[in-house]
Amino acid sequence: MKKKNKILLGLSGLCAMTLLASCGAKEITDSAELATLKLAIVEKKAEIKNYWMTATGKETIVDKATKEEKVTNDEMFLRMNEDGEEQIYITHESRAAAEDLYLVKDETYEKLIYCDGDSWFNGETTVIDLRTHKNEFDDFVSNALSQYNSVVDSLLDPNMVSSMLQRIHTDTTIFQTKTRYFSSKNGQLTIKVDEVSAVKGDDTTNHFEFNYEDFVFNGMTFTHSYSTDEVIRTFEYAIDFKVMNKVTITLPSGWESHLIKDN
């Protein structure tokens, strides 16, 4: 039995094939030309300090016998600023839950992590400070925040597309993969990846499209589909990324009452 793979969800308003057709994009087949464009995007990455990333995802399950369809939706947004402060907010319709995470600088405590969600601390809102609870702070960054930040790093670098693919692969599935590159103008790149399972009896397919404009990542779409004897299951994800001039992040009021206290 296959399980839902955890990946950030997102929103993008254009079908990439429509975008390619309307903009007159041409496929890049010259490896030197592609390497030059990728390098320019990687170099631009260092300039990205303030940004918003929004995401949505939809899971559709169709019962083969009854044709009944069940749809659930998830949403997420991530904000980051040049000081390394961030907020991540996620809703899970599938389990009627939300998660809210903050990391901010503070004159008294150096840095603070605010977490509100049923995945941590038995669902109790908790604030961890760096100055007096460094171990707990570092553990939370490594085990919770880093997974989201690593996704952003991968999306901003076109050379790391393969790492995004691995996030949804299972250990037992082998794919036949076809990757193509398109560009419609200077600084624009679309990467399209189509995957079909090479395992007999497995109808899993994956379709990715990564888009870069003016040498900066601006969106991704992803569809993951497979069936079992009972159901047809499809996951549809999209991500929208915007560079901002400034992003201000502040903790919710009353955060002081949720500080971790020593025993």
Side-chain angles (χ1 to χ4, degrees), residues 165-184:
L165 272 58
Q166 292 304 318
R167 292 177 185 273
I168 57 89
H169 289 173
T170 63
D171 294 335
T172 57
T173 305
I174 302 172
F175 289 99
Q176 295 177 342
T177 301
K178 183 177 183 180
T179 303
R180 292 185 295 167
Y181 302 88
F182 300 84
S183 183
S184 60

Side-chain angles (χ1 to χ4, degrees), residues 62-97:
V62 179
D63 187 291
K64 287 184 174 180
T66 66
K67 306 304 180 183
E68 181 181 356
E69 182 177 281
K70 179 182 178 182
V71 178
T72 55
N73 296 278
D74 295 325
E75 296 182 315
M76 182 275 291
F77 78 80
L78 184 155
R79 300 188 296 156
M80 175 76 76
N81 66 25
E82 57 195 322
D83 293 323
E85 298 176 314
E86 62 184 307
Q87 181 193 5
I88 301 166
Y89 182 77
I90 308 168
T91 61
H92 304 281
E93 182 183 359
S94 56
R95 55 189 177 92

Side-chain angles (χ1 to χ4, degrees), residues 9-13 52-55 217-220 238-242:
L9 318 176
L11 176 65
S12 179
W52 279 65
M53 187 172 78
T54 59
F217 172 75
N218 80 334
M220 165 194 169
I239 292 174
D240 183 64
F241 187 90
K242 288 184 172 58

Side-chain angles (χ1 to χ4, degrees), residues 182-199:
F182 300 84
S183 183
S184 60
K185 60 183 179 180
N186 185 40
Q188 195 278 322
L189 173 65
T190 295
I191 304 174
K192 180 177 180 179
V193 183
D194 294 309
E195 294 188 319
V196 178
S197 175
V199 178

Side-chain angles (χ1 to χ4, degrees), residues 109-123:
Y109 296 103
E110 299 181 30
K111 292 182 180 179
L112 294 164
I113 290 174
Y114 176 103
C115 50
D116 182 11
D118 60 4
S119 299
W120 314 285
F121 302 101
N122 298 317

